[in-house]
Amino acid sequence: MPHDTAVIATVAAGLGVAFVFGVVAARLRLSPIVGYLLAGVVIGPFTPGYVADAGVARQLAELGVILLMFGVGLHFSIGDLAEARRVVVPGALTQIGITGTIGAAVARMWGMSWGGAVVLGLSLAVASTVVLLKGLELRDQLDSAEGRIAVGWLVVEDMAMVLALVLLPALAPMLGGAAPDGAAGAAGAAVHAAADGRGLLLPLAAALGKVVVFVGLMFFVGRRTVPWLLEHVARVGSRELFTLAVLVTALGIGALAAELFGVSFALGAFFAGAVISESELSHRAAADALPLQDAFAVLFFVSVGMLFQPAVLVSHPMRVLALVAIVVLGKTLAGYLVMRALRQPPRSALLMGAAIGQIGEFSFIVTALGVSLGLLPAEDQALVVAAALIAITVNGPVVASVGRFAQRLADRAASPLAAVGHATTPAGRAVVGAEASLASGVAPFDFSGWAHHVVLVGHGRVGATVAEALTRAGIRYVVVEERERVVAGLRRRGENAIHGDATRADVLERAGLPRARLLVVTAPEPIRARRIIEVARGANPHIVVAVRTHSGAEQAFFEQYLALPGATGRSVYAEREAALSLAHFALQALGRSDDEADWIIAALRGA
């Protein structure tokens, strides 16, 4: 193949074959990811026929990881990351320690050196960013409580692997390996010092210091300058310039993070997205990045499939199965136990454990470094790739099954009413006991048979006020809430509430949304509110929507959306309504009549 067409041919072959196999997988009711992986096997170097350029595919796959992490950052602010630190930092590090130790112990049983055992253990301990995030997107859980924990977990794992990649070259001589030819930088310079047990603290301190400096710069400088830059570009009015600014921000910060601070490209892009999420233009940035993100994410799975050597299943089938068991069963159990030890709800612990039961990109990077350092034989690297391919394939069905079980468990634990059923009065209050079971005739906490009621998403200060007004008016409503404690409290008071993520169609189905009259969305996250309304309109195109917003830009967006044919509703900008209420009182206090004050406020609201 001519060198100047390698990129075009790889993209065309990768996306074309992935499309065919993805459609076949979807027809067989499998995840399209399975089709993408098989497409990589077909065009890879270990199967007959056309062979794509593996080097080009890996670089395109890295671009996909960068864009994916950038998109996740747009949904996940730095404040969210700080709130989750008490769970994700000890949780991720403990899970890495448990899984890594199990993997290293098994490797030693197989006769590997200590260096090979360490590399193998690390490769099994870290989950694939792309697989986990794509799974969350497919289940509409990226903005859920579990999704935020998962994203924070990935960030901590990413940082831990960055440190591991820095330390492995320094530790290689002590573990029976050697430094790679031309080793450079802090890690390469420390190799000779590490040979006699000295110099380990220097590269570790340098790596930690760089990470801390980078995060500090993004927190104190990036969250102010990047949104300011995008706002100025948006004022120019050129769509192309704004899209270019978004891509330059994602790739530029990722490159600077890797070159200057030793942080991975993907982690740098994540923080770029996180600082943009502070801007009112975050939804526009997400819309511009999404198409490229999806296309390059497909190429990531194709590149993973290209690494697979089918012969390893014949030569070492038991070893491959052992690694798959460690990844799928061992990591899932370790994640669950760690989450429970950190006092997380059973549902969150189950979902988190299942989500990390796979390995991916960092596993390949770690094993490749281990091979180059002489710590891990090349044939053992093939074992990791085979285990990764199988674990990624089964991860989707496993997570789906665990999710259904976890939902039933959460419903059963959220309220003592589950055992006896429930029914409701016209005002929306519940009747408890055997009478309720006979009256309802449906499964507990399933309101799919209701009609002409209100679905209220969120029961915070705003949602609670709306609920009280509906109760006083004698109008039936169902609350959809993610916080188990809130759901349990509502049910104990006789409220109709279900526990779940309102961005999921099945949750809204249980709330009876397809036949509801009104949807009230009080979710504080604007991107999440958009997704809820999109899913709701898909299930009930004629439902009236009332949504709470937090900025003028968000209110304008929702007003345009609700002005589309078939859509009716209202968006309420909380701070503006508070200001208008105060202005109305001020006008009356200064002697204006109530009608005159109403006229002025109506004019302001219209403006």
Side-chain angles (χ1 to χ4, degrees):
M1 179 190 303
H3 177 71
D4 55 352
T5 63
V7 175
I8 298 174
T10 301
V11 172
L15 293 181
V17 179
F19 169 72
V20 173
F21 278 83
V23 171
V24 172
R27 289 286 186 180
L28 296 175
R29 296 186 178 180
L30 298 173
S31 170
I33 291 175
V34 177
Y36 307 152
L37 293 169
L38 291 176
V41 174
V42 170
I43 65 174
F46 304 104
T47 53
Y50 173 79
V51 177
D53 191 317
V56 171
R58 282 194 294 272
Q59 292 187 44
L60 294 173
E62 178 68 18
L63 187 58
V65 177
I66 291 171
L67 292 174
L68 183 65
M69 287 297 285
F70 175 71
V72 171
L74 289 171
H75 294 76
F76 198 90
S77 69
I78 294 178
D80 292 334
L81 185 61
E83 289 178 6
R85 69 185 185 279
R86 292 184 178 86
V87 175
V88 300
V89 174
L93 294 180
T94 304
Q95 183 276 133
I96 289 174
I98 294 173
T99 308
T101 301
I102 295 173
V106 171
R108 289 292 292 167
M109 289 173 56
W110 291 344
M112 287 189 188
S113 65
W114 276 110
V118 169
V119 172
L120 184 69
L122 285 174
S123 68
L124 301 180
V126 57
S128 167
T129 297
V130 180
V131 175
L132 200 158
L133 295 179
K134 294 304 288 184
L136 290 173
E137 285 183 351
L138 289 173
R139 297 187 302 276
D140 293 322
Q141 291 181 331
L142 194 57
D143 292 319
S144 66
E146 290 83 8
R148 295 188 188 95
I149 292 177
V151 171
W153 197 288
L154 288 173
V155 170
V156 174
E157 284 194 348
D158 201 341
M159 291 182 177
M161 288 301 107
V162 168
L163 296 180
L165 294 175
V166 169
L167 291 178
L168 270 179
L171 289 169
M174 299 175 61
L175 297 173
D181 294 336
V191 170
H192 298 294
D196 58 4
R198 295 179 292 108
L200 290 180
L201 291 179
L202 181 60
L204 178 60
L208 282 172
K210 288 181 178 180
V211 170
V212 170
V213 170
F214 171 72
V215 174
L217 284 174
M218 295 305 296
F219 186 82
F220 293 106
V221 180
R223 66 190 308 188
R224 293 174 174 82
T225 58
V226 174
W228 174 85
L229 173 64
L230 289 183
E231 288 170 5
H232 276 69
V233 173
R235 291 174 188 169
V236 175
S238 171
R239 179 179 177 181
E240 293 80 7
L241 276 179
F242 185 82
T243 302
L244 185 61
V246 171
L247 294 177
V248 167
T249 300
L251 300 178
I253 292 180
L256 289 175
E259 295 296 327
L260 299 181
F261 300 98
V263 178
S264 68
F265 283 94
L267 189 61
F270 167 79
F271 278 101
V275 297
I276 293 178
S277 71
E278 308 286 335
S279 167
E280 295 182 354
L281 295 168
S282 59
H283 65 275
R284 183 175 172 185
D288 285 354
L290 185 61
L292 285 174
Q293 168 190 311
D294 288 340
F296 283 104
V298 170
L299 289 175
F300 164 78
F301 292 107
V302 173
S303 71
V304 172
M306 292 176 66
L307 296 173
F308 178 61
Q309 300 181 29
V312 75
L313 297 177
V314 178
S315 58
H316 300 289
M318 299 310 297
R319 291 195 175 190
V320 172
L321 289 177
L323 295 185
V324 171
I326 293 173
V327 172
V328 177
L329 300 178
K331 284 183 70 177
T332 299
L333 180 60
Y336 172 79
L337 293 176
V338 168
M339 288 283 285
R340 292 296 289 151
L342 293 171
R343 299 181 179 179
Q344 295 301 300
R347 179 178 184 274
S348 298
L350 283 169
L351 291 174
M352 190 67 217
I356 63 175
Q358 37 76 18
I359 55 176
E361 56 273 17
F362 258 117
S363 304
F364 310 140
I365 295 172
V366 170
T367 54
L369 179 61
V371 171
S372 69
L373 294 172
L375 297 173
L376 188 73
E379 55 267 25
D380 292 329
Q381 182 185 21
L383 295 176
V384 174
V385 174
L389 191 72
I390 297 172
I392 290 172
T393 301
V394 304
N395 184 251
V398 168
V399 173
S401 300
V402 170
R404 288 191 293 269
F405 173 76
Q407 185 63 57
R408 289 196 297 269
L409 188 66
D411 271 347
R412 188 178 301 128
S415 171
L417 306 181
V420 295
H422 74 283
T424 57
T425 65
R429 297 300 185 185
V431 179
V432 183
E435 179 186 355
S437 298
L438 294 174
S440 64
V442 296
F445 315 127
D446 186 345
F447 305 91
S448 56
W450 280 24
H452 307 297
H453 61 290
V454 177
V455 176
L456 174 59
V457 177
H459 200 271
R461 287 172 295 182
V462 176
T465 302
V466 175
E468 182 63 26
L470 294 173
T471 299
R472 295 191 179 199
I475 299 173
R476 292 200 309 176
Y477 62 91
V478 177
V479 176
V480 181
E481 175 61 62
E482 282 190 79
R483 295 169 293 175
E484 288 187 26
R485 294 180 183 176
V486 175
V487 173
L490 289 171
R491 289 173 177 171
R492 280 193 293 269
R493 295 203 306 268
E495 302 280 352
N496 301 304
I498 63 173
H499 176 261
D501 180 3
T503 62
R504 295 177 55 187
D506 63 312
V507 173
L508 294 180
E509 172 72 25
R510 286 196 294 134
L513 185 127
R515 295 193 291 176
R517 286 183 61 187
L518 173 67
L519 170 68
V520 180
V521 181
T522 66
E525 304 90 350
I527 295 179
R528 179 174 170 75
R530 291 190 205 115
R531 180 59 182 161
I532 292 170
I533 294 174
E534 288 173 1
V535 175
R537 289 286 307 282
N540 185 347
H542 303 294
I543 192 168
V544 180
V545 176
V547 57
R548 168 197 185 190
T549 63
H550 297 267
S551 69
E554 284 299 320
Q555 185 181 35
F557 173 85
F558 280 115
E559 286 177 348
Q560 291 178 359
Y561 184 84
L562 295 174
L564 296 175
T568 55
R570 181 181 179 186
S571 61
V572 178
Y573 179 15
E575 291 186 5
R576 179 174 294 163
E577 291 301 317
L580 293 175
S581 179
L582 289 172
H584 189 281
F585 173 78
L587 291 171
Q588 287 186 310
L590 295 173
R592 299 297 190 270
S593 67
D594 185 59
D595 290 340
E596 185 178 2
D598 287 343
W599 180 83
I600 294 173
I601 296 303
L604 287 174
R605 183 176 283 112

